[in-house]
Amino acid sequence: MRPVPQEALRSPLAARPPLSNHPRMLRTPRVTASRAALPLAALALTVVGCAAPEYGVEYRGATLDVVDMHLHFGEWEAIPPATRRFLAGNFPFPLGLNAESTASSSVSGEGILGQLDGAGIRRGVLFAVYAPRSVGVATNEQAITERQADPDRLYALGSLRFDNWAEDGPAQIDALRAVLSEPGFIGIKLAHAHQHIRFDDPAFFSVYEVAAEFDVPVYLHTGRSPFNGTSQEAPYTDAAFLEDAIAAFPTVPFILGHLGHDFEPDFTEPLDTVLDLAEQYDNVLLEPSALGDEDGFRLPYAMEQIHQRGLVERTIYGSDGPQSPGFVGRYLGDALEAMEAADYSVEEAAAVLAGNFDREFLE
Amino acid sequence: MTVASWPARVAALALLAAQTGCINEDYVFYVTDITVDVDAPGDGPITVVFHHAWQGEGVTGHPLGPIEEVTFDALPATHTLSYPQHAGEGLVLYAWQDDDGDGVLCAPGVDDEASGVTEVEGFPAHQLDAFVTLDALCRGAEGLYP
Amino acid sequence: MGLTLALVVAASASSVSAAPNPKDLPEPPALANGEFASFDVLGGGSDKGAWAVGLQGGWPWFGARFQVGLAHNWTPIVDLDTALGRRWQPSVGIGKRILDHPRGRLSAELLLGWQIQTGDLAQRGPSGVFRLRLLGLVGRVNPWLMVGGRHTLLFDRTRTITADDTTTKWSARYRWSPHFAGGVVIGITKHVGIDIGIDWHFVDVQATAVSLPGIHLGVQFGGGR
């Protein structure tokens, strides 16, 4: 999970009104009661119950279904101490004093569903992650549990540990196979920079064999991360080092998450690397999560480049939430604005927001 | 009346603070002189990354954790390492050879640069010898240890 | 000459009556500066022999304060603040009224103590705070304002073990937390009062991204007046 940089907490993005006030969002129906109508409203509620949230977002007059394919759950105690300090220090005072409580409400299955509801998003994908050196551990077993908050709306990507591969590798592969047989597990999540494995190390390619065996996509974190304990070196972050694996497994969809974003001011080069791979290989997909910045440049630029280079059908929306209250909805709003600015048609926006996900994961 | 110098005052206050248990960060650095040598097939400079053998505990415990990275033009050479005892245990050396001078071990189209790893025996000691055989191609430390 | 002198005297008398001396202003009925315990707590400073206790609770700050007046309005203070029971700031110090007027009071306080914070952002160290308190006196319901700054040192220890010896070095990090508070205090009786206020502590401005404002409800009581 990428944190919202400190400056973003003060940025116009963070200061935007909640999604329910966003001009593009469908609002949950409001009940406005005058004094005279209040008793009648109360009576009506007891009879029919509270109205369910409505799902879908408005784009150019159409209502579009949305899947957020990048959501993190977890337990505070499974995060390394240095990362806990980093996260707690980014919470507004006094929320950081009891960071576990602050975070727990957001990163449970129920908390995530709450953010999805607020954003009008029907479905989401939970990411298991095994990154003890950086962001911590959120296990496949926990993903199974958190999905139960609403198994019709929450999917999951399974993952595995690499830090004792010579000895534990076969057992980890077997465990991955087992979790991919669980209901709702629709792919594999890897984060080479967090898990400290090179993109081009064939010793770890057995994961892609499993993906091919189960006919599921693999999501990969590309680019750097500001978290303590992540690898910053090119073989762990630069998507160019993935080419051998992409070419070796042509039936496995490789979803290049974060579009190679390296937290440098110039986003052009890493984005070009990722888009070049997508143009060259049919099994490369794109995911534009966690591209927010103070200037509001990266996400609109990325969506524009994707559109210009004819890669809309390869792009699957994700946010890298929940991060902070309301983040899931804010990022969706930013993505809609970026697509509007890049002149995405309704059909193109529908593909990015849900259609491409359904095709790659569910068909 | 003698006016104590300000460093002495700070020291006195610090002593009082320590005695009353107000230490925040408590760092312990163990200094060791390590003579490093390698068996490497190529000609380029050798980059050595000094790692903890183990960091953390519980579910977030893990092998490896970089301490310092040093590039040597010629080996054997002796390096003085300030080993952070407060951050882990054990000492592992990971080394790789940069034959093409691009600063990266291997790359798309370059698949013949060597690397290797060794766990330093006898640590902790203030003088150590470490020998690394670079007999793997394009492997990161995590691919070679444990 | 005599007429001129008389005119000057008359003019002087007239100017005096046009701009009365503030000390001659009648006090509000049943209210005198220094008489109410609640005003002492929120405005700072106590008359000799008068004591006051203030308790406040809210979000996120809770607090307790005891003060007693000595000669010339010097007022020893014992103070304890806590945010959510995770950040504790016990202090002792002294306060004094700087300006004393039937319509208001300005006081200053200097306290020294400790700061203890638990959890993932654990820290501890000596801490001091300087505050100014301003109280308006218009009746039983009065506005109050407090401005302050807390300064804390966080000591770190670094030990280096070489073949020859072990050296220990100390360093200190500095944390600054300015804070503001304001609200309304109601002197129910001379001995009991309540207040409501907004608190905004910009905690550890060098290390914390944003601090949220808080709110509290307080009760004050006292005696010796």
Side-chain angles (χ1 to χ4, degrees):
Chain A
M1 178 186 77
R2 292 177 180 230
V4 178
Q6 281 203 16
E7 60 273 13
L9 289 171
R10 307 188 192 97
S11 77
L13 292 174
R16 287 186 181 201
L19 192 67
S20 58
N21 294 332
H22 197 289
R24 299 184 190 283
M25 295 298 128
L26 286 178
R27 297 193 178 93
T28 302
R30 292 184 180 179
V31 178
T32 305
S34 66
R35 286 185 180 177
L38 189 58
L40 290 174
L43 178 62
L45 283 173
T46 59
V47 173
V48 301
C50 296
E54 296 181 24
Y55 300 119
V57 296
E58 187 179 327
Y59 184 80
R60 292 189 173 182
T63 302
L64 304 183
D65 189 26
V66 181
V67 181
D68 188 340
M69 79 146 294
H70 190 148
L71 298 166
H72 288 279
F73 66 95
E75 291 180 350
W76 191 252
E77 291 305 315
I79 299 173
T83 303
R84 292 207 302 258
R85 278 195 297 274
F86 174 75
L87 292 172
N90 276 319
F91 293 162
F93 180 89
L95 302 182
L97 293 181
N98 195 358
E100 179 175 2
S101 175
T102 301
S104 297
S105 60
S106 294
V107 295
S108 65
E110 289 84 2
I112 290 169
L113 285 171
Q115 286 227 27
L116 296 181
D117 287 345
I121 298 173
R122 185 187 303 274
R123 294 172 288 165
V125 182
L126 305 179
F127 279 11
V129 61
Y130 292 83
R133 286 169 71 169
S134 58
V135 295
V137 175
T139 66
N140 294 325
E141 291 72 23
Q142 289 170 338
I144 291 171
T145 301
E146 297 299 343
R147 273 200 67 243
Q148 301 315 306
D150 194 335
D152 291 332
R153 295 179 60 198
L154 293 176
Y155 304 101
L157 299 190
S159 192
L160 68 173
R161 265 187 102 125
F162 291 101
D163 43 300
N164 193 14
W165 193 248
E167 194 171 311
D168 294 346
Q172 291 291 322
I173 290 292
D174 288 343
L176 182 64
R177 283 201 178 91
V179 82
L180 288 176
S181 301
E182 290 283 336
F185 276 77
I186 56 175
I188 299 171
K189 149 77 174 182
L190 302 177
H192 291 66
H194 289 281
Q195 297 180 286
H196 292 266
I197 53 172
R198 289 177 62 114
F199 279 138
D200 58 355
D201 192 336
F204 305 110
F205 282 14
S206 50
V207 178
Y208 306 131
E209 294 173 2
V210 175
E213 176 186 338
F214 281 79
D215 193 23
V216 297
V218 179
Y219 177 100
L220 306 102
H221 172 116
T222 61
R224 298 195 186 122
S225 170
F227 276 102
N228 182 64
T230 58
S231 179
Q232 306 293 313
E233 298 164 18
Y236 303 79
T237 60
D238 185 345
F241 285 75
L242 267 174
E243 187 168 1
D244 286 349
I246 293 168
F249 295 90
T251 65
V252 175
F254 285 74
I255 304 174
L256 305 187
H258 310 308
L259 302 180
H261 171 36
D262 61 358
F263 286 85
E264 295 292 335
D266 185 2
F267 184 31
T268 307
E269 190 173 329
L271 179 62
D272 279 345
T273 300
V274 166
L275 299 186
D276 288 346
L277 285 170
E279 286 181 338
Q280 187 174 357
Y281 296 95
D282 291 338
N283 59 329
V284 170
L285 303 169
L286 308 168
E287 185 254 27
S289 67
L291 296 181
D293 61 340
E294 198 169 70
D295 299 325
F297 162 74
R298 278 192 291 264
L299 181 57
Y301 177 70
M303 299 309 290
E304 179 194 23
Q305 288 296 301
I306 287 171
H307 194 250
Q308 280 188 7
R309 295 174 72 162
L311 296 169
V312 172
E313 293 300 313
R314 305 281 198 86
T315 304
I316 302 176
Y317 174 75
S319 70
D320 196 10
Q323 295 217 17
S324 60
F327 171 84
V328 167
R330 284 196 303 273
Y331 198 78
L332 177 59
D334 293 339
L336 289 169
E337 287 191 1
M339 288 192 286
E340 176 69 64
D343 201 24
Y344 280 59
S345 67
V346 170
E347 292 73 24
E348 288 170 330
V352 169
L353 295 175
N356 296 339
F357 171 87
D358 289 339
R359 183 192 68 237
E360 294 295 334
F361 282 97
L362 303 182
E363 292 174 7
Chain B
M1 183 177 71
T2 301
V3 177
S5 64
W6 70 264
R9 290 178 188 167
V10 171
L13 182 60
L15 183 62
L16 176 63
Q19 290 173 340
T20 52
C22 83
I23 299 170
N24 289 274
E25 301 297 335
D26 199 3
Y27 304 114
V28 182
F29 291 96
Y30 186 93
V31 178
T32 181
D33 293 324
I34 303 179
T35 300
V36 180
D37 199 3
V38 300
D39 177 12
D43 297 320
I46 304 289
T47 295
V48 175
V49 185
F50 300 88
H51 281 264
H52 283 105
W54 187 266
Q55 286 182 333
E57 56 187 14
V59 69
T60 58
H62 58 82
L64 298 176
I67 300 167
E68 186 179 359
E69 179 176 304
V70 181
T71 298
F72 299 95
D73 289 324
L75 288 171
T78 299
H79 177 72
T80 301
L81 176 70
S82 290
Y83 175 95
Q85 274 191 334
H86 52 276
E89 57 191 51
L91 181 60
V92 168
L93 266 62
Y94 166 74
W96 63 275
Q97 188 161 42
D98 191 3
D99 287 328
D100 59 5
D102 66 349
V104 178
L105 171 64
C106 302
V110 177
D111 58 0
D112 58 354
E113 291 180 325
S115 62
V117 74
T118 189
E119 184 162 7
V120 180
E121 294 183 356
F123 182 81
H126 291 295
Q127 285 190 322
L128 291 165
D129 295 317
F131 188 87
V132 188
T133 302
L134 277 57
D135 55 0
L137 294 180
C138 305
R139 303 297 305 281
E142 69 288 343
L144 299 173
Y145 182 88
Chain C
M1 177 71 169
L3 180 59
T4 303
L5 185 60
L7 285 172
V8 169
V9 170
S12 299
S14 172
S15 67
V16 166
S17 63
N21 190 324
K23 292 184 180 176
D24 297 330
L25 283 174
E27 292 180 344
L31 176 67
N33 198 357
E35 190 171 348
F36 280 65
S38 55
F39 301 160
D40 283 357
V41 172
L42 278 307
S46 289
D47 289 340
K48 182 177 179 181
W51 61 270
V53 171
L55 303 171
Q56 74 171 53
W59 188 92
W61 293 96
F62 290 72
R65 174 187 173 96
F66 171 79
Q67 63 185 70
V68 61
L70 304 178
H72 307 296
N73 292 140
W74 288 103
T75 306
I77 304 165
V78 178
D79 205 48
L80 174 64
D81 291 326
T82 178
L84 303 180
R86 298 248 172 162
R87 182 180 174 106
W88 296 86
Q89 299 173 168
S91 307
V92 296
I94 195 84
K96 189 178 187 343
R97 292 182 205 165
I98 301 173
L99 294 177
D100 213 349
H101 187 279
R103 292 301 184 197
R105 174 194 312 184
L106 176 67
S107 64
E109 299 172 351
L110 177 65
L111 298 97
L112 299 175
W114 214 255
Q115 182 189 102
I116 302 163
Q117 186 165 290
T118 62
D120 291 297
L121 299 174
Q123 62 187 42
R124 61 199 70 84
S127 182
V129 61
F130 177 76
R131 297 190 193 118
L132 292 173
R133 292 185 179 274
L134 181 65
L135 172 74
L137 285 169
V138 297
R140 286 186 180 269
V141 181
N142 296 306
W144 64 272
L145 180 69
M146 185 272 289
V147 175
R150 177 171 289 276
H151 308 267
T152 305
L153 290 176
L154 306 176
F155 288 96
D156 301 321
R157 180 174 67 177
T158 301
R159 286 173 290 169
T160 303
I161 304 172
T162 66
D164 299 322
D165 61 4
T166 298
T167 58
T168 301
K169 188 175 88 171
W170 291 88
S171 56
R173 287 173 286 146
Y174 168 69
R175 291 285 182 264
W176 178 50
S177 303
H179 47 278
F180 309 88
V184 168
V185 56
I186 302 172
I188 300 173
T189 70
K190 286 194 296 185
H191 303 290
V192 176
I194 61 172
D195 86 283
I196 186 167
I198 294 173
D199 313 295
W200 204 331
H201 293 234
F202 296 89
V203 169
D204 297 344
V205 294
Q206 305 93 323
T208 303
V210 175
S211 292
L212 300 175
I215 190 168
H216 75 261
L217 184 65
V219 60
Q220 304 84 36
F221 55 92
R225 57 194 72 232

